[in-house]
Amino acid sequence: MKDQKFKISGKIVDVISREIIQGEIEVVDGYIKSIVPKQDVPNRYIVPGLVDSHMHIESSLLIPSRFAAEAVKCGTLGLVTDPHEIANVLGEIGVDFMINDAKKVPLEIKFGVPSCVPATKHETSGFVLDSNIVESLLKREEVVCLAEVMDFVGVVEEDLEVLKKIVACKKLGKKIDGHAPGLKGTDLKKYVAAGISADHECSTIEEALEKIALGMMIQIREGSAARDFDSLCFLLESHPDKVMLCTDDLHPDDMAENGHIDYLIKKGLNKGYDIFNLLRAASYNPIHHYGLDLGLLQIGDSADFIVVDNLEQFSVMEAYRKGKCILKNGNPSFEVHNEILLNNFSRKPISLTEISVAPKNGKIKVMVAKDGDLITDSILCDPKIENSNLVADVENDLLKMVVMSRYDNGKPVVGFVKGFGFKKGAIAESIAHDSHNIIAIGTSDEELMYAINTLIDLKGGIVAVSNSKSKFVKLEVAGLMSNKTGSKLIQEYSGLSEFASELGSDFESPFMTLAFMSLLVIPKLKLSDKGLFDVDQFKVVDLFANE
């Protein structure tokens, strides 16, 4: 067979030698045969493909192959994704779906095995991944790590089931990712000593430096709900070999507007950070940490790289994978349609009486949500009572929240939240970390019921309602993702977001923020389908305060 050859020239950014070379790259059969200095090259930059070191594809609302077609437009050639969301809904079958769909595209998409499904015993999940299933999944060649070990309490207290998963991963020589917000001191030392080598939950420099001192890699996160880049970007200068970039959870509208990992490169450049440190965090570090099959513009490497216009705007013009051009003029060379659609949704419509709460004496415990932050506060408030029922108090921004199982017809659980700022209507979704039950907030019981029942009729998706009007995005894959093209999904989601913005919230991403109000491993107060949950005490607590 005749060799497949081509040459490409430009300003080559070498993150290993930390220099920019004017030269010509010769590619033969998918590999870089030579790099020759050359004058008068085109005014463009050839740089390594970008890598997202930790993310959940499900948060894009797109299946992996559809997501890949959007990510490559941003210069992303590699992903380390944790299919934790679909695993909670569909178990091992869901993980298989993600891996098989990802194989259809030319990007380097590798997986972590979800370590905590369910995240806690205080919620109803669709499936359980025990240590035996986890060990089996870890043996797959598409898997590079045990994904974020959220049960840091289990690690510190040496829970046998948690340790079995860690030991199985160590035997296979694969990485173990962490998830330990706020963990420090002796407990952190024990957590790291268990073999956990990376963490994406740092929100302060002090927290990151303590973890780095113990040998951890820090994944600087900039997603839709949690944004830590501004707080942690100094690490790019102080510890360039100990940081990676990630998005964790990125909604489709944010990706369409801002980009992916390229957005963090641009942010860093605007702040004056060194391009080599930025690209190292976005390529060399994750490639070496996880052992990804991606080249770094060295002779003998796989020909994996992107072409950008300059190092200010960093606009991606072309992308190459194993020597093949997979993006040109903003158009990917691949398109995939998946006919296999899986779901797990079993719930009957609810009535108003099911979300009514009888009053008691005293105040109620209320979670306080903040834009761009997964951590909630907990305060005490006087409830508003109408017709012997606790209702939303819109004037005081005290909204009613409901979480209910999507897997059975268990009784809905009611709580209250401040911070969202809705003046009317309600929103509901089947994206509710981590078990992905039904979660909703609203300004009245009637609007709440309308939103929830609309969602039940869809068997999964995202819904906003107001004054008998509604907008929604149906998520036919596990109630988490759509098989639509990225452009179609983004169009629908943007229309939904615009409709929801008229409800009064000034949150940048209210749907994403709401989805984390049931995440029981992030402080302080959260709500599950089994009750109001105090994360510090790690137990279900009563809605009413004992005074």
Side-chain angles (χ1 to χ4, degrees):
M1 181 178 176
K2 188 177 179 180
D3 288 349
Q4 299 297 310
K5 299 180 181 180
F6 73 92
K7 295 179 181 180
I8 183 170
S9 57
K11 299 173 181 178
I12 304 162
V13 182
D14 189 333
V15 299
I16 296 176
S17 65
R18 297 179 67 88
E19 59 182 337
I20 298 175
I21 307 162
Q22 289 196 164
E24 182 178 75
I25 299 172
E26 182 182 11
V27 176
V28 178
D29 287 345
Y31 290 88
I32 295 176
K33 182 179 180 181
S34 65
I35 300 176
V36 180
K38 184 178 180 181
Q39 299 299 315
D40 300 322
V41 298
N43 187 27
R44 60 188 182 186
Y45 290 78
I46 303 172
V47 303
L50 308 182
V51 177
D52 191 330
S53 67
H54 172 78
M55 55 98 64
H56 306 275
I57 287 178
E58 299 97 317
S59 293
S60 72
L61 311 185
L62 296 167
I63 59 176
S65 55
R66 297 292 199 189
F67 176 80
E70 299 304 312
V72 74
K73 297 175 185 177
C74 306
T76 301
L77 294 187
L79 308 167
V80 178
T81 183
D82 172 12
H84 179 94
E85 320 307 341
I86 198 169
N88 271 276
V89 178
L90 287 162
E92 193 173 1
I93 296 170
V95 176
D96 283 339
F97 171 85
M98 299 293 279
I99 290 175
N100 292 334
D101 188 62
K103 286 180 179 179
K104 299 174 182 178
V105 296
L107 272 63
E108 173 76 345
I109 302 179
K110 293 299 184 182
F111 289 81
V113 175
S115 62
C116 302
V117 176
T120 76
K121 64 182 180 182
H122 303 286
E123 55 198 304
T124 301
S125 68
F127 278 82
V128 174
L129 296 188
D130 62 20
S131 57
N132 291 327
I133 296 174
V134 167
E135 182 172 5
S136 174
L137 287 169
L138 281 167
K139 294 176 181 176
R140 297 191 61 155
E141 63 178 15
E142 302 89 355
V143 167
V144 295
C145 65
L146 180 65
E148 49 182 313
V149 182
M150 293 182 289
D151 190 0
F152 54 82
V153 175
V155 177
V156 172
E157 296 182 356
E158 300 181 9
D159 178 88
L160 182 59
E161 186 70 5
V162 175
L163 294 184
K164 281 182 179 179
K165 297 172 184 177
I166 291 174
V167 169
C169 191
K170 284 182 174 180
K171 285 181 179 178
L172 293 166
K174 297 184 178 183
K175 298 294 184 181
I176 305 172
D177 279 1
H179 173 115
L183 196 65
K184 57 186 178 180
T186 302
D187 286 348
L188 176 61
K189 290 178 180 177
K190 194 168 185 180
Y191 185 74
V192 176
I196 296 164
S197 61
D199 186 78
H200 61 278
E201 288 290 345
C202 292
S203 56
T204 67
I205 282 287
E206 293 75 20
E207 181 181 0
L209 290 176
E210 184 177 3
K211 290 174 178 176
I212 287 173
L214 292 172
M216 296 188 89
M217 295 287 290
I218 299 302
Q219 293 156 315
I220 300 177
R221 170 178 58 187
E222 190 81 358
S224 292
R227 302 179 182 92
D228 302 314
F229 187 85
D230 289 344
S231 299
L232 301 179
C233 56
F234 174 70
L235 297 172
L236 291 161
E237 182 178 296
S238 65
H239 295 81
D241 293 329
K242 300 298 291 184
V243 293
M244 302 182 282
L245 302 181
C246 77
T247 59
D248 197 8
D249 294 286
L250 188 66
H251 257 199
D253 56 338
D254 289 330
M255 186 170 174
E257 182 178 350
N258 299 321
H260 191 210
I261 297 299
D262 61 322
Y263 175 60
L264 301 188
I265 300 293
K266 295 171 190 175
K267 282 196 74 168
L269 290 171
N270 287 335
K271 289 176 178 290
Y273 284 105
D274 182 88
I275 182 63
F276 296 110
N277 289 345
L278 284 161
L279 288 175
R280 195 173 183 89
S283 62
Y284 182 93
N285 290 348
I287 287 170
H288 279 267
H289 184 76
Y290 292 107
L292 304 181
D293 180 22
L294 281 172
L296 285 162
L297 287 174
Q298 306 298 302
I299 295 173
D301 277 3
S302 175
D304 310 314
F305 51 83
I306 61 176
V307 180
V308 300
D309 56 351
N310 55 60
L311 298 183
E312 288 79 38
Q313 282 73 36
F314 206 82
S315 298
V316 178
M317 302 161 62
E318 298 175 5
Y320 292 80
R321 172 73 169 135
K322 294 190 180 299
K324 294 182 179 180
C325 183
I326 60 172
L327 176 83
K328 195 172 185 67
N329 299 324
N331 298 311
S333 65
F334 57 91
E335 183 176 345
V336 176
H337 181 75
N338 199 323
E339 298 292 346
I340 300 172
L341 305 178
L342 305 173
N343 203 355
N344 185 7
F345 200 103
S346 179
R347 183 80 212 193
K348 294 179 181 178
I350 64 165
S351 64
L352 282 176
T353 57
E354 292 181 82
I355 55 174
S356 295
V357 179
K360 296 181 182 177
N361 293 330
K363 298 179 182 291
I364 56 173
K365 302 183 184 93
V366 174
M367 68 179 74
V368 180
K370 294 166 282 188
D371 194 18
D373 195 345
L374 308 188
I375 296 174
T376 59
D377 286 329
S378 175
I379 61 173
L380 299 179
C381 294
D382 292 312
K384 182 178 180 179
I385 302 170
E386 291 181 354
N387 300 319
S388 298
N389 173 36
L390 271 62
V391 297
D393 184 352
V394 177
E395 289 186 3
N396 292 307
D397 186 26
L398 186 61
L399 302 183
K400 202 168 194 175
M401 178 182 289
V402 176
V403 176
M404 51 196 282
S405 172
R406 65 138 94 175
Y407 308 106
D408 56 41
N409 291 302
K411 181 176 172 56
V413 172
V414 177
F416 288 83
V417 61
K418 289 179 70 72
F420 279 89
F422 287 124
K423 305 301 181 187
K424 59 181 181 179
I427 63 174
E429 55 187 317
S430 54
I431 303 169
H433 299 283
D434 273 324
S435 292
H436 299 293
N437 288 304
I438 296 168
I439 189 167
I441 56 172
T443 56
S444 72
D445 284 13
E446 290 77 13
E447 300 273 45
L448 264 172
M449 183 184 71
Y450 178 28
I452 290 169
N453 285 341
T454 300
L455 182 65
I456 290 171
D457 185 58
L458 292 172
K459 293 191 178 297
I462 308 174
V463 174
V465 303
S466 179
N467 297 324
S468 300
K469 295 180 181 179
S470 67
K471 282 272 190 181
F472 60 81
V473 173
K474 183 175 182 178
L475 301 175
E476 62 272 18
V477 182
L480 300 172
M481 296 170 286
S482 172
N483 190 35
K484 303 178 185 75
T485 62
S487 58
K488 178 63 175 175
L489 185 280
I490 290 165
Q491 180 183 9
E492 288 187 10
Y493 187 81
S494 296
L496 173 66
S497 294
E498 185 176 341
F499 179 84
S501 69
E502 297 173 2
L503 305 183
S505 178
D506 60 1
F507 278 15
E508 190 166 338
S509 185
F511 293 115
M512 181 68 87
T513 301
L514 176 62
F516 285 97
M517 295 299 99
S518 58
L519 183 54
L520 308 187
V521 293
I522 299 284
K524 292 182 179 177
L525 194 65
K526 296 293 166 69
L527 192 68
S528 87
D529 70 299
K530 293 187 177 181
L532 190 63
F533 194 77
D534 186 311
V535 181
D536 293 335
Q537 298 183 59
F538 216 72
K539 68 177 186 180
V540 173
V541 295
D542 196 86
L543 173 64
F544 295 89
N546 296 318
E547 295 187 331

